[in-house]
Amino acid sequence: MAMNCNPKDEVDGGPPCAPGGAAKTRRPDNTAFKQQRLPAWQPILTAGTVLPTFFIVGLIFIPIGIGIFVTSNNIREIEIDYTGTEPSSPCNKCLSSNVTPCVCTINFTLEKAFEGNVFMYYGLSNFYQNHRRYVKSRDDSQLNGDPRALVNPSKECEPYRRNEDLPIAPCGAIANSMFNDTLELFLITNDSDPTPKPILLQRKGIAWWTDKHVKFRNPPGEGTLEERFKGTTKPVNWPKPVYMLDSEDDNNGFINEDLIVWMRTAALPTFRKLYRLIERTDDLHPTLPAGQYYLNITYNYPVHSFDGRKRMILSTISWMGGKNPFLGIAYITVGSISFLLGVVLLVINHKYRNSSNTADTMAF
Amino acid sequence: MEPAGRRRRRRRRRGDGGARTVRSGLHPGLPALGSRGARLGLHGGCAPPAADNRLKTTKYTLLSFVPKNLFEQFHRLANVYFVLIALLNFAPAVNAFQPGLALAPVLFILAVTALKDLWEDYSRHRSDLAINHRGCLVFSREEKKYVHRFWKEIHVGDFVRLHCNEIIPADVLLLSSSDPDGLCHIETANLDGETNLKRRQVVRGFSELVSEFNPLTFTSIIECEKPNNDLSRFRGCIIHSNGEKAGLHKENLLLRGCTIRNTEAVVGIVIYAGHETKALLNNSGPRYKRSQLERQMNCDVLWCVLLLICMSLFSAVGHGLWVRRYQEKKALFDVPEADGSSLSPVTAAVYSFLTMIIVLQVLIPISLYVSIEIVKVCQVYFINQDLDLYDEETDSQLQCRALNITEDLGQIQYIFSDKTGTLTENKMVFRRCTVSGVEYSHDANAQRLARYQEADSEEEEVVPKRGSWSQRGSIGSHQGVRMMHRTQSTKSHRRTGSRAEAKRASMLSRHTAFSSPMEKDITPDPKLLEKVSECDKGLAISRHQEQPLAHLSPELSDIFDFFIALTICNTVVVTSPDQPRQKQVRVRFELKSPVKTIEDFLRRFTPSRLTSVCSSTGSLATNKSNHKSGSSLLSNLSNDSVFLKLEERLGQPAPSLASNGYSSQAESWASERKPEPGQEQELRYEAESPDEAALVYAARAYNCALVDRLPDQVSVELPHLGRLTFELLHTLGFDSIRKRMSVVIRHPLTDEINVYTKGADSVVMDLLLPCSSEDARGRHQKRIRSKTQSFLNLYAVEGLRTLCIAKRVLSKEEYACWLQGHLEAESSLDNREELLFQSALRLETNLHLLGATGIEDRLQDGVPETISKLRQAGLQIWVLTGDKQETAINIAHACKLLDHDEEIITLNAESQEACAALLEQCLQYVQSRGPHSTPKKTEGNVSVGFFPLCSAPPQSTARGPSLSLVIDGRSLAYALEKNLEDKFLFLAKQCRSVLCCRSTPLQKSMVVKLVRSKLKAMTLAIGDGANDVSMIQVADVGVGISGQEGMQAVMASDFAVPKFRYLERLLIVHGHWCYSRLANMVLYFFYKNTMFVGLLFWFQFYCGFSASAMIDQWYLIFFNLLFSSLPQLVTGVLDKDVSADTLLLEPQLYKSGQKMEEYRPRAFWLNMVDAAFQSLVCFFIPYMAYYDSDVDMFTWGTPITAIALLTFLLHLGIETKTWTWLNWVACGFSILLFLTVALIYNSACATCYPPSNPYWTMQTLLGDPVFYLICLITPVTALLPRLFFRALQGSLFPTQLQLGRQLAKKCRKTLQTPKERFAQGHLPQELKAELSQGGTGSPSESLSKDCALQTSQHLQQPPVCSPEASGEPSTVDTSVPLRENSPRGSPGSSIPGAAVSGECPGHLRRKSLSTSRAAPLQSLFSLPNFSSLGCVSSLSLVSGLGSVLRFSSSSLHVDKRDSEFLSSSPQPEQDLSGLQRQATGYV
């Protein structure tokens, strides 16, 4: 009880009952955090303080931009539209789809040789691979080789889930709409030699490694692919089933790289997808020497109906990927603008400081 | 009835409004008590059972938690919205995300809130459990003794026995006390915070019991009110088994939560238990208010909803068109419905609309509310932790009782303040008095008071030396500033007395309330002391004669009576330090008093013989009315024989009265126990109000010491007479309507019945006995009265609280008549208060004026400074007080609320019409007022006076002197009428300050309400007493002062501060911070969400408006919750746009909050536009960079997410004003968290997250240089414009706040150089030389000086400028030094100011303190060349003057701009040139 220490307090007048006294008080701790006195950097945004930032941004961005721009410009790229909407186009005949398969040939010339590995893309425009319902329309489990999903695909695949009571493999709209033109490239070595030299196009190595080896798997089991895909049917639009996409087994079925590439839905309605790889053969000769080429197209894929376009693109790459003039220009532009703004701020700062400085100096 | 029959309780509802009946819980088979008992039985069954004493404050049980909590959470509309959206997602046609995932954030938010609630509930449960299991002695029927039980087992009707220092477990009716007088003292600190002891009495009828109270014999029935929360009221009656009935009132009730003191043991019966106790009924949890910012925010949330709907509609239409376009074209990418049919465009549009709403739901920030709550909790924490808001004297810090209106503190426009106890200390000090028309000025006393102040100022001188300079230098500039600030707060204790004294006082106050030495040690006026001792001696000699008082001159007898009245006309309790109170063997009267019954009275005044019943007609009338309402008790007494007897007795001559043994007994006892002087010092007085204590201490100083107070007697110790014991017949307590209190005593010397009345002068002066001007005595009386009145006026002008002391001698007949009425009133059950009031009115008439006292209510520490600071901060301060006009005006002057060069409009109207006319007149005057207007006056009872108390030269300011309005309660009542309120408000708006005197609590709240509703202004009410409660509740922000007047105000308040001066820091620093932090955070929230949603929206143009999202759904959903929430929380909690020191130095920065500068519609929309721009940038740079590439949707979306995160952080970086390590950590954490989550998420499962299926996306991106390139360029590009405009604005059109920051920074920087110099000891000489030469200093020094000067100018008023302390006229406003081109501005006298200002700006405070009288502005005036440096843009006008002096008027425009920035006192150009002339003349 409080009684026992009361008398003493009366004598010495000390704080009652609590010898420390301080321990009992409600006095807040005097710490930097609690008193909101943490050491802090307090930038003040004025012309004077900010203008170095602008100059620094300018000074960093402009060189980067120039670097990127130069790199991008060194990339060789050629693009050939073979949609065939123009009457003059050789592929115009294929628009009316009474001829199947329709083959058309387009000639083109490479002004300069393409060094290094050359990538062959097909490009589509106005193709909304990013449409919400389109994007969803796939079954990753099925593509991953899950036997259950193989025979019972996800509901997301509707209406391309079953065909005549058989599950579709691969199911869904994405797979169903897979690009199925065949492109071949021939080099006309010289005008005198009529026999064109076919360019070797690699079908493998065009997909992400993880896609090919982790995400996409053929159904497990012994036997041929055909047996493993037993009980499924091909997508409606496909001419042949999934196990007949390629002749080689490690590029067939779900792990067919064309399929894998196609299944990676493009972000924007204008996109390109890697079609083939033209590997550099030796250091002495350019991969694609300058000269006349012709492109042999087996025209299957109908884009004309929805105003789409089809292109074939040949491109070399640099450390930063394909040709992309935008980034370089953007860096240069932003850098210049930043520099300019910096100058503006400098002027303002100078003027402002002047007006205040005059008062200062004149005071003496 | 329970079989065990142990406990039983009954209650019933009476027809007339409800009451409760309590019987002993010990007698199960109690026979019915006649008709009453029958009624009981009749109604007993249908009433709900009374609560037991179990305390249950928890909201939930284990079972009910989930449903109940969810139910409560869904009261918040936002939660419902988000749940609906999440549910919508379950519909397959429209779903945007995995359904489960969409629920996650909502569930997360709900879970967090639920956990918080659960934790709170659990802690409540634990504390309940502890309280419920406290022990207590309860009488057990079986064991026939008191046994230990837990609190929760107590029921209504139980008998409990409580010991000293025990806490009362329930509301208990006091039946027995170990105290011989049937008293019990309780301390109600737990309930209302009042530390003085309250006296409680045993129920009448039980106090007489000689033996110990035996519960088994208790058969009475108690009837009382139903449980209510009125602490100060309890009514009821106890019906004994014999049918007798006795009234019960609050003196009989021990309230739960109070502590028994000074009494060994008490026994009582439980009346209310558990949640029906008054303490718990009063306990309403924290209040919920919605702040203005939140209201505005909700409005903007609605805008966002609108925006969301617009965006969704737009997409829907777009999608419809898109579908129509591609429908027939057999697009390969068009996915038909499950049945193969394709969607019609309209259906598709509807689906798209719904999906868009889901996808864009991020626009309505789900985490906004939670974040705001977190930030507010942290803000409250920091406010609580602020050392500068901690009051050492009372060991209390600021309490935030409302958690959600912190930011309102930063937007206050009007402050309504109580005066007593708020502006003043409510520590009453006796200053002077007038007795019998002679004034005793108590000069020595005044000197003593002055000495207290001097002692403090001496200590102040010492304080600055404590901090060593070298140490301060090493700590660094920031710390240095802090230290100075601490010192200042240390020093500002000057009024209360030195620190040690304050400590002592606070220690003492643990034992007694209201007693600091300053109040106790009163130096008596020698003249008066002499007179007192003279009459003391005279009485001592003549005490045994027949008419002892008759031997004294009228004046001396008045003096004697005056001091007797001071001593006994109060409710002061005398305690000695030892507890419990010693049981003294003392002479007791046969009967208890105050006189309770007629029998009492008769027995006391026997033998008696007389004839007539009652002589005065008035008494007869009351008799009649008594008979009408008559209680059963009285009716049988009011027979003639009794009164016959009575009259007989009263007719007896006085001498025989004296021989009734009473006074001789008292005398003998007094001589027996002569207290030694040392013990007398130990006496402590506990008063209910500080005035009373002050008067009792004053009387003690005149050797007229109150030594003992019992319910029936008061003992007064006089040096010569010894102990005089007055028989206390009645105490008519103070109430605010009567404004007086009285005691009825029997004088031991004369044996007369005296009434001593003490009350407000206005009331008492009207109750005086009308005196004829015929005879000399009457004329003398009249003169005395007029003299007293004039002294009273003088006191009022001095700001003293005045009280009149009067006396009335009652004849026995008069007394008997009055007594009968009074007794009837006392015992009546219905409207007892009303009857007692009437009874008191009857007694307090025909008074004889003795004298008047002047009590000083000292201003609290730092009140003038605080008020001037708050003023500078743009706050309008209205004072609403119940005091008289003169006192109020005076205090207002003292605390600088009114300036002496201000015109005061006084509104005193007698009628509605007069008031209307007056208002009209004032308005006209105000409108027509120009520099040439002259004060005018009207006469009659319509008195409007403009008192230019000290008229300033009209040219000093453009608008002439500012106006103040003083209005009294009656006029206020008229002015608040519907038809006048607009005019009144308009007038009040024109005035710088408004003072409402004599206003009632209701009026106070009406004024606040009026301003709040009509002016749409943010109001703050601050007060300390119960009379301020309504005002505090009405205002937007209510602040209670946890001072001397109990806790009612604090209970009602949102914030409780220990002293008024803390308001300054609370508002100007914390209010500003809270507002600015929250405003910025809310804006940032809106920005963030809009920008994020913008990204998705732009994408719709490229995905056929199909509501597709390129950002992975996981990122989309958790982005707000996880990745970007922490940095903004840290900034929201810690960011300081301006440092506390700068804010305090430049209170006008507060105006930014008032004007809602940071968060107003324009800011919101600018913010939205910027968000739109940034989202465009953040979308299109990646778009262009990846245009026509083989990028897939989520490999493209992930960089966008990263970019958005970086942009948010950079944006926050631009908006953050202070970067502590916490900010850096938070930002780093955000980025790391995003990367980690992305990496883990993208490698966890190859097939799990349809449709995005982002396996290895992030990993691939990290190997892609383009990712880094766009992550670099995009945020920079997005934020370049913002940064640019910020910089531009910061340079060209800086806001006040930015100026403040720049100034603070500059001053901090320049701190370094001069300090070094100072350390070397160079500066003083240099400065001297400089001064003598007329000033040519080196730039660095001048710069620092400049800063110092600036800050001093921004102060505008010297920080410490107490009205008493500074003898010279305060040179507070800028005009003063300019006006007087006085010799005081000579270089010599300005040295102190200059020297200090040259020292170093970090030590500004010290300067302004030590030279508070050196008028910094004058010193500035003599140093014109220092003033125009550096921070020119923020210079006040006066500093601008410096450059004007030296240079041509070309620099005038600069100054003009400066003055605009300051916006405090725009002055015309002509002034400047005029001043310039003066100044150049001087230079």
Side-chain angles (χ1 to χ4, degrees), chain B residues 66-86:
Chain B
V66 172
K68 206 168 169 183
N69 187 265
L70 279 181
F71 179 75
E72 281 186 8
Q73 289 204 41
F74 285 131
H75 276 299
R76 180 171 276 176
L77 210 62
N79 283 344
V80 178
Y81 167 81
F82 286 114
V83 167
L84 279 183
I85 296 259

Side-chain angles (χ1 to χ4, degrees), chain B residues 1439-1457:
Chain B
S1439 65
L1441 184 76
S1443 43
V1444 176
L1445 288 172
R1446 282 254 157 168
F1447 314 110
S1448 65
S1449 57
S1450 62
S1451 50
L1452 260 175
H1453 68 278
V1454 180
D1455 304 310
K1456 254 163 64 189
R1457 202 182 72 199

Side-chain angles (χ1 to χ4, degrees), chain B residues 1033-1067:
Chain B
Q1033 279 171 337
V1034 164
D1036 292 292
V1037 179
V1039 179
I1041 291 200
S1042 46
Q1044 318 247 334
E1045 285 259 5
M1047 299 296 277
Q1048 280 112 315
V1050 171
M1051 296 287 217
S1053 67
D1054 305 312
F1055 298 89
V1057 291
K1059 291 262 169 64
F1060 183 79
R1061 70 180 146 97
Y1062 294 111
L1063 201 59
E1064 177 187 338
R1065 194 175 168 87
L1066 180 66
L1067 293 186

Side-chain angles (χ1 to χ4, degrees), chain B residues 834-887:
Chain B
E834 171 70 11
L835 289 174
L836 281 176
F837 181 76
Q838 297 292 342
S839 166
L841 288 188
R842 282 198 301 279
L843 187 70
E844 292 157 341
T845 52
N846 298 336
L847 301 172
H848 167 74
L849 182 68
L850 294 172
T853 56
I855 297 172
E856 185 179 350
D857 186 6
R858 298 156 61 78
L859 274 187
Q860 273 184 21
D861 246 4
V863 166
E865 295 83 355
T866 307
I867 285 185
S868 84
K869 278 277 173 70
L870 291 175
R871 267 252 174 87
Q872 274 175 276
L875 289 156
Q876 289 254 32
I877 301 171
W878 293 27
V879 171
L880 311 171
T881 173
D883 270 356
K884 25 191 309 189
Q885 194 160 313
E886 293 78 19
T887 317

Side-chain angles (χ1 to χ4, degrees), chain B residues 239-251:
Chain B
I239 303 153
H240 299 295
S241 46
N242 56 6
E244 266 182 58
K245 197 171 169 188
L248 303 174
H249 29 94
K250 69 163 188 167
E251 273 78 33

Side-chain angles (χ1 to χ4, degrees), chain A residues 35-36 47 140 324 331 362, chain B residues 1077 1136 1185 1253 1269 1291 1447:
Chain A
Q35 300 306 317
Q36 307 191 50
D140 283 313
N324 192 348
Y331 265 93
M362 283 168 81
Chain B
R1077 286 167 180 175
K1136 293 190 281 189
N1253 208 344
L1269 285 176
S1291 284
F1447 314 110

Side-chain angles (χ1 to χ4, degrees), chain B residues 105-304:
Chain B
V106 186
L107 290 182
F108 179 77
I109 297 288
L110 290 180
V112 166
T113 318
L115 270 181
K116 190 197 82 189
D117 290 348
L118 190 69
W119 184 79
E120 280 174 2
D121 211 46
Y122 179 66
S123 47
R124 273 197 296 266
H125 171 74
R126 288 226 325 228
S127 79
D128 283 358
L129 207 68
I131 291 172
N132 280 336
H133 284 82
R134 282 193 197 158
C136 168
L137 281 177
V138 179
F139 193 83
S140 154
R141 196 169 77 98
E142 284 86 30
E143 300 168 49
K144 301 268 186 292
K145 62 170 188 178
Y146 292 98
V147 294
H148 261 286
R149 294 215 186 285
F150 291 132
W151 274 27
K152 62 174 179 179
E153 293 168 330
I154 298 174
H155 294 268
V156 172
D158 279 353
F159 293 92
V160 292
R161 187 182 161 92
L162 302 164
H163 293 277
C164 189
N165 297 332
E166 204 174 318
I167 298 171
I168 301 166
D171 286 357
V172 171
L173 193 69
L174 186 61
L175 293 177
S176 156
S177 166
S178 62
D179 187 279
D181 299 311
L183 289 183
C184 164
H185 288 90
I186 58 171
E187 191 186 277
T188 54
N190 287 349
L191 221 53
D192 58 8
E194 296 177 32
T195 48
N196 61 325
L197 297 187
K198 307 251 172 18
R199 210 171 57 194
R200 291 289 183 263
Q201 276 175 328
V202 168
V203 173
R204 207 182 312 158
F206 290 92
S207 46
E208 287 85 358
L209 291 171
V210 187
S211 60
E212 205 191 332
F213 173 79
N214 183 0
L216 285 172
T217 61
F218 182 87
T219 51
S220 311
I221 294 170
I222 297 153
E223 273 192 5
C224 55
E225 315 173 291
K226 284 212 295 186
N228 60 50
N229 66 352
D230 191 348
L231 286 176
S232 60
R233 196 184 70 161
F234 172 69
R235 287 191 309 187
C237 66
I238 183 163
I239 303 153
H240 299 295
S241 46
N242 56 6
E244 266 182 58
K245 197 171 169 188
L248 303 174
H249 29 94
K250 69 163 188 167
E251 273 78 33
N252 304 127
L253 195 66
L254 307 178
L255 296 175
R256 175 177 177 139
C258 301
T259 314
I260 307 271
R261 298 278 189 219
N262 275 13
T263 316
E264 237 166 52
V266 294
V267 175
I269 182 166
V270 176
I271 301 285
Y272 306 119
H275 287 274
E276 292 178 347
T277 55
K278 289 180 185 287
L280 290 183
L281 285 172
N282 258 304
N283 191 354
S284 55
R287 298 204 291 156
Y288 185 82
K289 275 186 179 176
R290 183 170 286 175
S291 70
Q292 191 178 353
L293 189 100
E294 219 165 308
R295 285 197 293 270
Q296 200 186 338
M297 189 188 80
N298 285 342
C299 165
D300 287 340
V301 166
L302 287 183
W303 278 115
C304 281

